[in-house]
Amino acid sequence: MTNKQRDALRSLRAALKPFMDMDGSMTLNRLEALLAVYTDGITDMMDLREHVQAGQGISKSALSRMVSWWSAEAYLQYKTDAEGNQVVPDRPQGMGFLDITPDPRDYRRRVIAVTPSGDIFGSELADKIMNAADDFRNRWEGYENNG
């Protein structure tokens, strides 16, 4: 592996760091769900399901949990106590980047919209990625021109 390739991987790690800081167990599939909404103009769960499942084989329930993590209230996961009784925990708070509401035209569908805080987060993340790419390009253009 060349130094340039190592540097490229460092840049990728830097781009993923904000997500790891949010949740150390962040999966790439959960990240893909958010990025698909940001980049592909997906506005409902059925379209998102088709988009994400096409290449990754993610179940509907898993995708719903992933998307709920980005919304105001995360997926409510039931737990079992030591005696085997089902315990309902408090609903965890989500990130608040997506708003998920019933489709007024078809109650079976869910509409996805980016919230103002989600828009700010997405814009700041894109800026960081673009700056990292510029820094990477500048470092290596200077290296190639001087050496």
Side-chain angles (χ1 to χ4, degrees):
M1 181 179 295
T2 68
N3 286 337
K4 187 173 183 179
Q5 290 168 326
R6 281 187 190 89
D7 197 31
L9 293 175
R10 280 187 199 99
S11 295
L12 174 62
R13 285 178 60 206
L16 293 175
K17 184 144 179 33
F19 296 102
M20 292 184 293
D21 290 345
M22 274 186 223
D23 180 357
S25 63
M26 173 76 65
T27 65
L28 291 177
N29 289 330
R30 189 189 307 164
L31 177 57
E32 167 63 12
L34 179 67
L35 295 178
V37 172
Y38 278 148
T39 62
D40 297 342
I42 293 173
T43 58
D44 77 39
M45 283 295 290
M46 290 181 83
D47 290 342
L48 181 61
R49 222 175 269 132
E50 290 171 10
H51 177 82
V52 173
Q53 285 179 329
Q56 298 156 9
I58 297 170
S59 70
K60 291 178 184 179
S61 60
L63 183 63
S64 292
R65 286 190 302 273
M66 288 177 214
V67 172
S68 77
W69 194 87
W70 296 113
S71 69
E73 291 185 333
Y75 177 76
L76 182 59
Q77 186 173 12
Y78 293 91
K79 306 281 183 184
T80 306
D81 65 14
E83 290 84 39
N85 300 316
Q86 198 171 48
V87 178
V88 181
D90 292 333
R91 182 175 296 273
Q93 185 173 346
M95 298 307 298
F97 295 161
L98 299 178
D99 187 28
I100 303 167
T101 57
D103 186 333
R105 296 168 293 167
D106 184 348
Y107 70 93
R108 298 168 296 175
R109 295 177 75 107
R110 299 289 175 259
V111 176
I112 303 171
V114 177
T115 64
S117 62
D119 192 47
I120 290 168
F121 176 78
S123 296
E124 289 174 354
L125 179 65
D127 288 342
K128 287 178 185 177
I129 292 169
M130 289 186 299
N131 290 337
D134 289 342
D135 290 346
F136 175 79
R137 188 171 28 270
N138 292 336
R139 277 193 309 273
W140 286 97
E141 284 177 354
Y143 175 78
E144 290 168 354
N145 292 335
N146 295 324

